[in-house]
Amino acid sequence: QWMDAMSRQVLQTLMMAIGNTDLYLLATCRTTDNVFREELVQYLYRRQKAEVVTLSPFSKDETSNILRDKLPMFWAKGVTDEIYRRTEGNALVLMDLLDVIERDGEIPAYVPDRTGQVLALQLRDLTEDQIQLLQVISVFMNSADINEIRVLMRKDLMEIYDILESLQKRHMLREEVLGENLTYRFRHKAYQDYIYQNQSLGKRRLWHQMVAEYYESQKGTGSWFEFLPFIIYQYDKCGNTRKAEQY
């Protein structure tokens, strides 16, 4: 999964020279890693030197079964939805989270250390602009469109789109069509949680307040009532409970 082009060539050479008679090699790649699959897996697969096994994230039912088997006391409390929301069926994140719950006796508010270390490795090569854009999107409830992003990121529109595209190519964000708008969300909830938690509380509260005030400025528009749940969320997150309760 972490191979560069030269390492992939070495693996390909080994597989072609030795085959699958005396040596078995196990390699993993993301389903979105087209370069790995096209350059290596298909080449070996056509020559009957490799077998491809596709592994999908656990479904909610599968997550519930794993939780029931590993932590029956917590499963009985009906926390499957929360566990699935936090992990989205990702095997590493799920097992890491369950280990922490088993150790501490409660669902942690933070991303567990092992998951955080993996995510940190994937983020270390990003530019400051890419990190900032991820931080911006992390303060929104689910996703953000370009107008919402520009509330917090004062950059040229085309420059923002270039950064968004670069993060999509790295499989950190995904672009979705929502009505007439394009929205952007994290590919994995763990990314959002990790990015969000690794910002200062003061910065997060300021950004939540700015977003809440932006939503309030939409009064009188046809989409005003659609903003209400998000206004409540943003004011609650910035610590303005009076405003949150008012709405």
Side-chain angles (χ1 to χ4, degrees):
Q1 182 165 315
W2 307 103
M3 281 184 167
D4 58 16
M6 181 62 71
S7 301
R8 288 198 296 267
Q9 187 63 44
V10 171
L11 177 58
Q12 181 172 302
T13 302
L14 278 173
M15 290 295 289
M16 291 306 299
I18 301 174
N20 47 14
T21 55
D22 300 312
L23 178 66
Y24 290 89
L25 298 176
L26 178 65
T28 65
C29 71
R30 299 183 186 90
T31 55
T32 52
D33 193 344
N34 294 324
V35 174
F36 188 98
R37 289 189 294 164
E38 291 171 4
E39 290 185 356
L40 177 63
V41 176
Q42 293 303 324
Y43 178 84
L44 296 171
Y45 185 70
R46 288 196 301 269
R47 288 158 179 77
Q48 298 183 332
K49 298 292 184 179
E51 180 180 356
V52 178
V53 179
T54 302
L55 301 176
S56 301
F58 295 120
S59 66
K60 184 183 288 188
D61 287 341
E62 290 169 332
T63 299
S64 178
N65 291 336
I66 293 169
L67 177 61
R68 181 188 60 200
D69 292 342
K70 186 172 176 63
L71 299 172
M73 295 282 290
F74 271 88
W75 177 80
K77 295 180 180 180
V79 297
T80 296
D81 286 347
E82 172 64 13
I83 298 295
Y84 188 73
R85 185 190 68 81
R86 291 276 299 273
T87 66
E88 297 178 322
N90 181 285
L92 169 65
V93 180
L94 174 61
M95 298 313 295
D96 196 17
L97 182 63
L98 294 185
D99 285 343
V100 173
I101 294 173
E102 185 176 34
R103 183 191 69 200
D104 297 344
E106 61 182 7
I107 300 175
Y110 57 88
V111 174
D113 289 341
R114 186 172 57 164
T115 301
Q117 290 169 4
V118 173
L119 298 180
L121 283 173
Q122 298 181 49
L123 297 171
R124 66 180 180 180
D125 294 328
L126 298 184
T127 67
E128 289 185 10
D129 285 342
Q130 289 172 323
I131 291 291
Q132 184 185 16
L133 185 47
L134 290 175
Q135 290 175 337
V136 165
I137 296 178
S138 75
V139 305
F140 291 90
M141 187 186 297
N142 298 312
S143 61
D145 64 24
I146 193 65
N147 293 321
E148 292 168 323
I149 291 171
R150 294 188 79 186
V151 172
L152 303 179
M153 196 165 189
R154 307 298 175 85
K155 286 186 176 293
D156 176 77
L157 185 59
M158 186 54 68
E159 187 177 359
I160 293 177
Y161 276 123
D162 285 341
I163 302 170
L164 285 168
E165 187 175 12
S166 71
L167 290 169
Q168 290 175 72
K169 289 179 179 178
R170 286 178 171 268
H171 311 298
M172 292 181 178
L173 295 179
R174 61 173 180 256
E175 184 180 64
E176 298 178 343
V177 178
L178 185 63
E180 298 179 354
N181 294 331
L182 290 175
T183 64
Y184 301 89
R185 68 167 65 230
F186 284 87
R187 186 167 290 276
H188 294 296
K189 184 68 171 61
Y191 275 127
Q192 181 172 6
D193 292 342
Y194 181 79
I195 291 286
Y196 183 81
Q197 291 165 13
N198 282 275
Q199 299 177 63
S200 69
L201 178 59
K203 179 180 177 181
R204 294 197 317 244
R205 285 190 168 185
L206 175 61
W207 277 6
H208 282 302
Q209 181 176 329
M210 291 171 65
V211 175
E213 291 171 352
Y214 163 73
Y215 288 150
E216 277 192 306
S217 72
Q218 303 303 305
K219 280 184 178 179
T221 66
S223 56
W224 163 241
F225 285 105
E226 297 175 8
F227 283 118
L228 286 176
F230 304 106
I231 293 176
I232 295 169
Y233 173 83
Q234 295 294 339
Y235 271 128
D236 182 62
K237 286 292 186 179
C238 76
N240 193 334
T241 55
R242 183 184 62 82
K243 274 277 195 178
E245 291 172 357
Q246 173 186 331
Y247 281 106

